[in-house]
PDB file of all heavy atoms in Angstrom:
ATOM      1  N   HIS T1078       0.661   9.178 -14.933  1.00  0.00           N
ATOM      2  CA  HIS T1078       1.122  10.525 -15.267  1.00  0.00           C
ATOM      3  C   HIS T1078       2.584  10.556 -15.745  1.00  0.00           C
ATOM      4  O   HIS T1078       3.074  11.618 -16.152  1.00  0.00           O
ATOM      5  CB  HIS T1078       1.000  11.432 -14.066  1.00  0.00           C
ATOM      6  CG  HIS T1078      -0.420  11.583 -13.583  1.00  0.00           C
ATOM      7  ND1 HIS T1078      -1.304  12.434 -14.175  1.00  0.00           N
ATOM      8  CD2 HIS T1078      -1.044  11.049 -12.530  1.00  0.00           C
ATOM      9  CE1 HIS T1078      -2.468  12.375 -13.540  1.00  0.00           C
ATOM     10  NE2 HIS T1078      -2.333  11.543 -12.515  1.00  0.00           N
ATOM     11  N   GLN T1129     -24.432  39.311   1.496  1.00  0.00           N
ATOM     12  CA  GLN T1129     -23.685  40.539   1.142  1.00  0.00           C
ATOM     13  C   GLN T1129     -24.441  41.796   1.667  1.00  0.00           C
ATOM     14  O   GLN T1129     -25.650  41.920   1.517  1.00  0.00           O
ATOM     15  CB  GLN T1129     -23.508  40.664  -0.360  1.00  0.00           C
ATOM     16  CG  GLN T1129     -22.618  41.791  -0.807  1.00  0.00           C
ATOM     17  CD  GLN T1129     -22.299  41.771  -2.316  1.00  0.00           C
ATOM     18  OE1 GLN T1129     -22.935  41.001  -3.040  1.00  0.00           O
ATOM     19  NE2 GLN T1129     -21.373  42.568  -2.750  1.00  0.00           N
ATOM     20  N   VAL T1137     -27.817  33.521   8.637  1.00  0.00           N
ATOM     21  CA  VAL T1137     -27.255  32.701   7.533  1.00  0.00           C
ATOM     22  C   VAL T1137     -27.585  31.230   7.681  1.00  0.00           C
ATOM     23  O   VAL T1137     -27.457  30.452   6.779  1.00  0.00           O
ATOM     24  CB  VAL T1137     -25.731  32.927   7.392  1.00  0.00           C
ATOM     25  CG1 VAL T1137     -25.444  34.326   6.928  1.00  0.00           C
ATOM     26  CG2 VAL T1137     -25.028  32.591   8.689  1.00  0.00           C
ATOM     27  N   ALA T1193     -31.159  14.406   1.103  1.00  0.00           N
ATOM     28  CA  ALA T1193     -32.563  14.432   0.758  1.00  0.00           C
ATOM     29  C   ALA T1193     -33.383  13.698   1.839  1.00  0.00           C
ATOM     30  O   ALA T1193     -32.893  12.852   2.557  1.00  0.00           O
ATOM     31  CB  ALA T1193     -32.770  13.768  -0.584  1.00  0.00           C
ATOM     32  N   GLN T1194     -34.642  14.096   1.903  1.00  0.00           N
ATOM     33  CA  GLN T1194     -35.531  13.565   2.909  1.00  0.00           C
ATOM     34  C   GLN T1194     -35.545  12.008   2.879  1.00  0.00           C
ATOM     35  O   GLN T1194     -35.690  11.437   1.790  1.00  0.00           O
ATOM     36  CB  GLN T1194     -36.957  14.075   2.733  1.00  0.00           C
ATOM     37  CG  GLN T1194     -37.927  13.636   3.831  1.00  0.00           C
ATOM     38  CD  GLN T1194     -39.273  14.273   3.662  1.00  0.00           C
ATOM     39  OE1 GLN T1194     -39.537  14.996   2.721  1.00  0.00           O
ATOM     40  NE2 GLN T1194     -40.190  14.025   4.627  1.00  0.00           N
ATOM     41  N   PHE T1201     -21.409   9.960  -2.923  1.00  0.00           N
ATOM     42  CA  PHE T1201     -21.060   9.124  -4.079  1.00  0.00           C
ATOM     43  C   PHE T1201     -19.618   9.493  -4.453  1.00  0.00           C
ATOM     44  O   PHE T1201     -19.282  10.612  -4.758  1.00  0.00           O
ATOM     45  CB  PHE T1201     -21.994   9.422  -5.258  1.00  0.00           C
ATOM     46  CG  PHE T1201     -23.419   9.072  -4.998  1.00  0.00           C
ATOM     47  CD1 PHE T1201     -24.375  10.074  -4.788  1.00  0.00           C
ATOM     48  CD2 PHE T1201     -23.793   7.757  -4.903  1.00  0.00           C
ATOM     49  CE1 PHE T1201     -25.669   9.765  -4.523  1.00  0.00           C
ATOM     50  CE2 PHE T1201     -25.135   7.429  -4.642  1.00  0.00           C
ATOM     51  CZ  PHE T1201     -26.070   8.436  -4.455  1.00  0.00           C
ATOM     52  N   LYS T1244     -27.024   0.648 -14.302  1.00  0.00           N
ATOM     53  CA  LYS T1244     -28.269   0.204 -13.667  1.00  0.00           C
ATOM     54  C   LYS T1244     -28.714   1.130 -12.556  1.00  0.00           C
ATOM     55  O   LYS T1244     -29.805   0.970 -12.024  1.00  0.00           O
ATOM     56  CB  LYS T1244     -28.109  -1.230 -13.151  1.00  0.00           C
ATOM     57  CG  LYS T1244     -27.870  -2.284 -14.228  1.00  0.00           C
ATOM     58  CD  LYS T1244     -27.733  -3.656 -13.602  1.00  0.00           C
ATOM     59  CE  LYS T1244     -27.482  -4.726 -14.661  1.00  0.00           C
ATOM     60  NZ  LYS T1244     -27.314  -6.080 -14.043  1.00  0.00           N
ATOM     61  N   GLU T1293     -22.273  11.675 -15.589  1.00  0.00           N
ATOM     62  CA  GLU T1293     -22.006  12.390 -16.842  1.00  0.00           C
ATOM     63  C   GLU T1293     -21.584  13.818 -16.576  1.00  0.00           C
ATOM     64  O   GLU T1293     -20.721  14.376 -17.269  1.00  0.00           O
ATOM     65  CB  GLU T1293     -23.291  12.360 -17.728  1.00  0.00           C
ATOM     66  CG  GLU T1293     -23.629  10.975 -18.277  1.00  0.00           C
ATOM     67  CD  GLU T1293     -24.979  10.933 -18.963  1.00  0.00           C
ATOM     68  OE1 GLU T1293     -25.706  11.936 -18.875  1.00  0.00           O
ATOM     69  OE2 GLU T1293     -25.295   9.862 -19.504  1.00  0.00           O
ATOM     70  N   GLN T1294     -22.155  14.444 -15.541  1.00  0.00           N
ATOM     71  CA  GLN T1294     -21.747  15.787 -15.145  1.00  0.00           C
ATOM     72  C   GLN T1294     -20.304  15.763 -14.654  1.00  0.00           C
ATOM     73  O   GLN T1294     -19.540  16.714 -14.911  1.00  0.00           O
ATOM     74  CB  GLN T1294     -22.673  16.311 -14.083  1.00  0.00           C
ATOM     75  CG  GLN T1294     -24.075  16.646 -14.556  1.00  0.00           C
ATOM     76  CD  GLN T1294     -24.941  17.175 -13.400  1.00  0.00           C
ATOM     77  OE1 GLN T1294     -24.995  16.566 -12.318  1.00  0.00           O
ATOM     78  NE2 GLN T1294     -25.619  18.301 -13.615  1.00  0.00           N
ATOM     79  N   SER T1319     -29.156  15.623  -2.281  1.00  0.00           N
ATOM     80  CA  SER T1319     -29.501  16.575  -1.219  1.00  0.00           C
ATOM     81  C   SER T1319     -30.970  16.971  -1.242  1.00  0.00           C
ATOM     82  O   SER T1319     -31.757  16.483  -2.098  1.00  0.00           O
ATOM     83  CB  SER T1319     -28.651  17.847  -1.340  1.00  0.00           C
ATOM     84  OG  SER T1319     -29.108  18.636  -2.426  1.00  0.00           O
ATOM     85  N   ALA T1366      13.753  10.163 -29.132  1.00  0.00           N
ATOM     86  CA  ALA T1366      14.695  11.306 -28.995  1.00  0.00           C
ATOM     87  C   ALA T1366      16.126  10.804 -29.039  1.00  0.00           C
ATOM     88  O   ALA T1366      17.012  11.425 -29.660  1.00  0.00           O
ATOM     89  CB  ALA T1366      14.393  12.057 -27.733  1.00  0.00           C
TER      90      ALA T1366
END
Side-chain angles (χ1 to χ4, degrees):
H1078 299 282
Q1129 188 174 10
V1137 291
Q1194 185 175 5
F1201 297 108
K1244 296 180 179 179
E1293 290 171 354
Q1294 290 179 311
S1319 75

